[in-house]
Structures are given as C-alpha cells and as structure tokens.
Amino acid sequence: MKKLLKKIYLAIRNLGKRVGQLPLWPKIYRFSKEKLCWAYQKLCSWNLKLTAYVQPRFEKLIRKISKNPDFSLGARATQIFVYVTLYILLSVLWHFIGGFFEDSKSRAARMRPVSVVTSPVKLGQITVIQTALGTVTPRNTVTVHSQVSGTLSKVFFKEGDLVKAGQLLALIDPRAFEASLKQAEGTLNKDKALLNNAELDLKRYDTLLKQDSISHQVYATQKALVQQYKGNVLTDEGLVSSAKLQLEFAHITSPINGRIGLRLVDPGNLVQPSDASGLFVITQLQPTTVLFSVPQDVIPSFKKFLQEPPPPETTPNGDAQKVETASAKTEPSQDHKGRHRKISQDASVEPAATSDASAIPERVIIPVEAWNADNKKKLATGYLESIDNQIDITTGTVKLRAIFPNEEMTLFPNQFVNVRVVLDVLSDVVVIPVPAVQRGTPGTFVYRLNVNHSVSVVPVKLGPADGDSVQVVNGLAAGNIVVVDGTDKLRNGAKVMTGEASTPTTGKSRWREGQKQKNAAP
C-alpha cells in the first residue's frame, strides 16, 4: 500500500512539473502583470483627482462651520473621510434596495390565497354532559367477625368466590357449645319433671282443701312451689335458647350477596369477638355505586332531580284519603336495572283514586355513564341516585352518588372511572366544529368565509360543547361557512382557497352518535 501511494505522489509531482514548464504560463503572467499595473495606475490617478477635488471644498466647509480660518486637512484624512462616506452611502442604498425587494415578496405572499379547510354551520343536537372523576364504592361492605370464642376449624369457601346471603362460610369448633346445649336441656327436663310433680300435688291438695282435710297454709305453700318451678323452667328455656344461639353463632354465614376477599384468619387459629381485623370481608358488587364530585356552579343543572314530588296529602282534591290509600297499596317497583317502572293499578282502588295517584310527579331519572381511564370504552350505564346535602368548603364541590346494576361485573370496588352525567339534550341549535373556535384580542371568534373567497373575523358567544361540536349562542347562523384548519396564516380580509372538512371518527364522535340514536329511538 505504501509503494502504491508513493507512485501516485511521484506521478502527481511530475505532472505538476510538466504543466509548469509549458510556454503558455509566462505569457499569461506578463499579460496579467501589465493589466494590474495599468489598473493600479488608473486607481492612483483617480484617487489623486478625487482628493484634489474634495479636499479644498471640505476644508472650506469645516472653516465655515468651526469659524477657524487656519483649519487645514491632510490628504490622508480626506481620503479616509471620502471612503467612509462612500461606504455608508452604499450600505444605505443596498439596504433600501434589499428591503424594497423583500416588501415586494411579502406583499405578493400576502396577496396569495391561503389554503384552508372549511365546514358549514348547521343546526344540530348538543348533549349537555358534566364530566367528573369518580370512585366505585360498593353499596355494602361487611367485615365478618366471630360472635363467639373458639378455634376456627373449617372454611367452606375459596378466596374471591361469589357468595349469597345465608351461605355457610366457616365453622368454629361446636363441641363446647353442643355440650352447653345438652347441659341446659338436661336442666330444663329436670325442672319440667319437678313442675309436673308439683302440679299433681297441687291438684290433690285442691281436693283435700275442699274436703277440709288440710290447712290453707299447706295449700298456699304448694301453690307457691308450683310457681317457683315454672320460673325455673322459664329460666332453663332461656338458657337453652342462649345455648342454641351460641351454637348457631359457631356456624358463620354470609350476611349479604357479594364477593368474598382474602381471608384474614387461617383454620386452626383461636378467634374471639374482640379481634379487630375480623375473619374476612364481603363486598357487594350488584348493584354497585360510584361516588363523584362536581363544582358547585353546576348544582342548578340538577334542579329537576332536586325537586321532590309533592306528598299525597297536598294534592288539591277532595279525595285525599283515597289518594293516600292508593299510594300505600301501589308502591313503585323497579326492574333489573333499578329504573322506576310505572305504578300498576290495584283492583281494590277506585278509578278516581288511581288517576289522582298517577298525577303525582315521579323523580327525574338522570343517566350516568362510567368510562375507562382513556375515555375510549364505556364500562357501565346507571342513573343518579342521590346528592349530598352540603358543599365541601375546602374544594367548593358537592358529592353525588350514582347506582349501576353492574351486570357484567365491569366495575370493581375502589376503581377510578370517568363519569359522564347527561344533564340535557339541546335540539335544533347552531353548532360548529370545535377547531373553528379561535381566541385572541376580540375574545372568542371564528373566521367566516365570504362570497368573494375572503374571510372575516366574527366574534361569537359559545354554549356547551359536545365532543367535536360546540353550540354557538350568538354570532353565526345556519348556512354560514367557517374555517376549521389553516387559521394560523389568516387575517381579516385574507383570500383563501377552500376545502371540505372530513367527518370525524373519534371515540367521542361515535359515542355522541350512539347517544343521538338512543334519544331518537321511541
């Protein structure tokens, strides 16, 4: 490799020597030298002429300004002044010419139409939704404790099983309680035998007393003995019932329907009623509830729910008593989802009373939806059950509780969910896409497309938003066209080239379409 590089170096050096020995180079050198000398002489001559022309005039100007007749200026200083002045003039001229061309380009760019995407203003439907962060809270959570002391002998469940109310879950060693029950039953049988014997003696004494064969004192003593034995039997029956109850407490059953958690005590351990942790925890899953908080400003939106129906006695009819009877006999039932059904008519209720009872308004049902963390999947649908009676002064919010049937077990206790409360549905309102809304010095505004393919800034007043659409209360009318994309290059009166906006296919828009179909269904 070194030999090859050496050969290449020698070849290049020889080529340079040959090119340098060509007879053309001296001719070129002499011609260039002559021309440079001529140019240098011309430049020096022009410099002397310029200095001779400017120096007396500049000295005269300085003498007039400074009023010093002896002022003189050297040739070198005059040359420096002249060249500095020429440099400044050329710089200003260059800047002016460059700025002129840049302004021409900017003006041409401003006059060029801007490509934008537009969308027509339509009459549509807006679903007023209040969103919040909620926590799944079981309706009932029971920590099962032992009511008697003993050794936990058996467990009849697996951790995480679904249990029903009354189902046997665990057994405490029952032998001590069975022995106590037998002892109490034996004492009861003994006292019953003594009571039977005393009652027979009392009957014989009653016959003898009628025959005047015994004294009244002996009869009264026997009668008191019978009452004493009756008291003993009653006490023994209470002891037997107590022993049976203790034996029943040894069989631990589920108090509610729900899912049982991890057991806190293993078989073989001694359990007592004073244990703080308990044996296991049962959580009700069907139905379940979701607790969430909303700002205090939206409380008036729930006024329909807060308005309680008037009591039956306030009905302005003469048949108030019949209305009360009808309402007592026909309580509102609920379906499997917890929604109130219509009150069924009882055969024993008169038609007039039934009509008066049906006139009583029912509580307004507000739908509530639970969505997952990224708002892409709806987990469950329920309805608003209750509102707290006071506002939290630390956060300025009020708590609400919604109930969900949770038939598919999609809600788990203590799970965080995004809650959507459907407050109202606004029909035939002016709606525009959310990207069309701009915010700036005029406030909230949009760019409206004019007939001459220019845009105008139109201030608007907005209402509630629903996914990708928002209501326009004031400023636009149905049929107008607004810009939804490309607004960063627009100004009032700018020319535009338009294109139609595509239909959104996001999760929110699909959810909104489902809500519209649900509301349109009979």
Side-chain angles (χ1 to χ4, degrees):
M1 187 67 183
K2 292 182 178 180
K3 293 181 179 181
L4 178 61
L5 294 175
K6 187 175 182 180
K7 289 181 179 180
I8 293 173
Y9 168 73
L10 293 175
I12 293 174
R13 190 178 66 175
N14 293 332
L15 180 62
K17 289 180 178 180
R18 291 180 181 180
V19 172
Q21 294 174 359
L22 291 175
L24 181 64
W25 292 111
K27 294 181 180 180
I28 295 174
Y29 173 75
R30 287 194 299 269
F31 178 77
S32 301
K33 186 177 180 180
E34 292 176 359
K35 292 297 181 181
L36 288 175
C37 291
W38 178 83
Y40 178 74
Q41 291 175 0
K42 289 292 183 182
L43 183 61
C44 291
S45 176
W46 180 84
N47 185 25
L48 292 175
K49 291 180 181 180
L50 181 64
T51 304
Y53 177 79
V54 173
Q55 184 176 0
R57 290 169 175 79
F58 187 67
E59 288 180 352
K60 184 178 180 180
L61 178 64
I62 296 299
R63 289 169 184 170
K64 184 181 293 186
I65 294 174
S66 63
K67 297 180 180 181
N68 184 9
D70 298 333
F71 178 79
S72 61
L73 188 65
R76 182 57 60 87
T78 303
Q79 293 175 1
I80 294 173
F81 172 75
V82 169
Y83 292 133
V84 170
T85 304
L86 288 176
Y87 174 77
I88 294 174
L89 291 176
L90 291 176
S91 299
V92 172
L93 183 61
W94 178 261
H95 180 74
F96 175 76
I97 295 174
F100 176 77
F101 284 110
E102 288 181 0
D103 291 342
S104 301
K105 293 180 180 179
S106 301
R107 192 181 305 107
R110 288 196 298 267
M111 296 303 293
R112 188 183 303 117
V114 181
S115 179
V116 296
V117 179
T118 60
S119 177
V121 179
K122 302 178 181 179
L123 292 178
Q125 180 176 288
I126 293 291
T127 304
V128 182
I129 300 173
Q130 176 63 42
T131 59
L133 182 63
T135 306
V136 179
T137 305
R139 178 175 285 274
N140 295 307
T141 301
V142 179
T143 302
V144 180
H145 290 262
S146 172
Q147 295 180 276
V148 293
S149 300
T151 303
L152 185 64
S153 58
K154 293 182 180 180
V155 175
F156 302 98
F157 66 89
K158 293 181 179 179
E159 296 174 333
D161 283 350
L162 294 176
V163 297
K164 296 182 178 180
Q167 178 179 341
L168 181 62
L169 300 179
L171 178 65
I172 298 176
D173 190 1
R175 292 176 296 178
F177 308 108
E178 291 174 352
S180 298
L181 177 60
K182 289 182 179 179
Q183 183 179 1
E185 288 177 347
T187 304
L188 176 62
N189 293 332
K190 183 186 71 171
D191 290 339
K192 282 184 177 180
L194 293 175
L195 176 62
N196 291 333
N197 187 28
E199 287 179 345
L200 291 176
D201 290 343
L202 181 61
K203 289 181 180 179
R204 288 194 295 268
Y205 287 173
D206 187 29
T207 303
L208 295 175
L209 181 62
K210 292 179 181 179
Q211 296 175 358
D212 200 13
S213 299
I214 59 174
S215 62
H216 287 279
Q217 183 179 1
V218 174
Y219 178 79
T221 302
Q222 187 62 30
K223 189 175 181 180
L225 185 61
V226 169
Q227 295 296 329
Q228 179 182 351
Y229 287 154
K230 285 183 179 181
N232 292 339
V233 169
L234 187 61
T235 302
D236 294 339
E237 289 177 350
L239 293 176
V240 170
S241 298
S242 177
K244 289 182 178 179
L245 185 60
Q246 295 295 314
L247 182 60
E248 184 179 352
F249 285 159
H251 298 74
I252 300 175
T253 58
S254 174
I256 59 172
N257 297 332
R259 184 188 296 274
I260 194 167
L262 304 178
R263 66 170 182 259
L264 307 177
V265 179
D266 297 326
N269 288 284
L270 179 66
V271 294
Q272 297 178 354
S274 60
D275 293 341
S277 60
L279 303 179
F280 36 79
V281 179
I282 302 175
T283 303
Q284 183 179 358
L285 300 180
Q286 293 178 331
T288 189
T289 65
V290 173
L291 283 178
F292 59 98
S293 300
V294 298
Q296 59 183 1
D297 298 335
V298 303
I299 295 178
S301 303
F302 297 92
K303 61 182 179 180
K304 295 181 180 179
F305 182 83
L306 294 173
Q307 290 174 354
E308 295 286 347
E313 58 270 12
T314 61
T315 305
N317 290 328
D319 300 333
Q321 185 176 0
K322 296 181 181 180
V323 172
E324 184 176 358
T325 305
S327 62
K329 292 184 178 180
T330 58
E331 296 180 356
S333 59
Q334 293 183 351
D335 57 7
H336 66 284
K337 290 187 178 181
R339 294 191 293 265
H340 291 288
R341 296 174 178 172
K342 293 183 179 180
I343 299 177
S344 60
Q345 183 176 353
D346 197 339
S348 62
V349 181
E350 297 181 5
T354 305
S355 62
D356 292 339
S358 62
I360 299 175
E362 297 180 355
R363 180 187 292 272
V364 176
I365 296 178
I366 299 180
V368 180
E369 296 180 350
W371 290 68
N372 61 351
D374 53 1
N375 279 320
K376 292 183 178 180
K377 182 181 180 182
K378 183 171 68 173
L379 302 178
T381 303
Y383 63 92
L384 187 63
E385 184 184 30
S386 59
I387 301 178
D388 200 0
N389 60 353
Q390 59 183 351
I391 297 174
D392 188 354
I393 59 175
T394 59
T395 60
T397 59
V398 61
K399 290 184 179 180
L400 293 87
R401 183 187 296 273
I403 185 169
F404 294 83
N406 200 22
E407 296 175 349
E408 299 179 357
M409 297 291 185
T410 54
L411 299 179
F412 204 77
N414 294 336
Q415 177 184 1
F416 289 100
V417 294
N418 290 314
V419 179
R420 294 180 180 176
V421 184
V422 181
L423 300 178
D424 197 2
V425 178
L426 305 177
S427 301
D428 297 331
V429 295
V430 179
V431 295
I432 60 173
V434 173
V437 180
Q438 306 295 320
R439 289 171 175 83
T441 304
T444 305
F445 65 95
V446 297
Y447 287 104
R448 183 181 61 189
L449 182 64
N450 301 324
V451 181
N452 58 353
H453 294 283
S454 63
V455 293
S456 300
V457 175
V458 179
V460 292
K461 182 179 180 182
L462 302 179
D466 181 11
D468 296 326
S469 300
V470 62
Q471 179 192 4
V472 177
V473 180
N474 188 11
L476 294 175
N480 294 148
I481 300 177
V482 295
V483 179
V484 297
D485 192 13
T487 57
D488 53 340
K489 299 180 181 179
L490 293 182
R491 59 181 180 82
N492 192 17
K495 296 290 185 179
V496 295
M497 293 185 300
T498 61
E500 292 293 332
S502 59
T503 303
T505 58
T506 59
K508 291 184 178 180
S509 62
R510 289 196 297 268
W511 174 83
R512 187 173 66 256
E513 292 296 331
Q515 289 293 324
K516 292 179 180 179
Q517 294 176 4
K518 185 188 299 183
N519 296 329

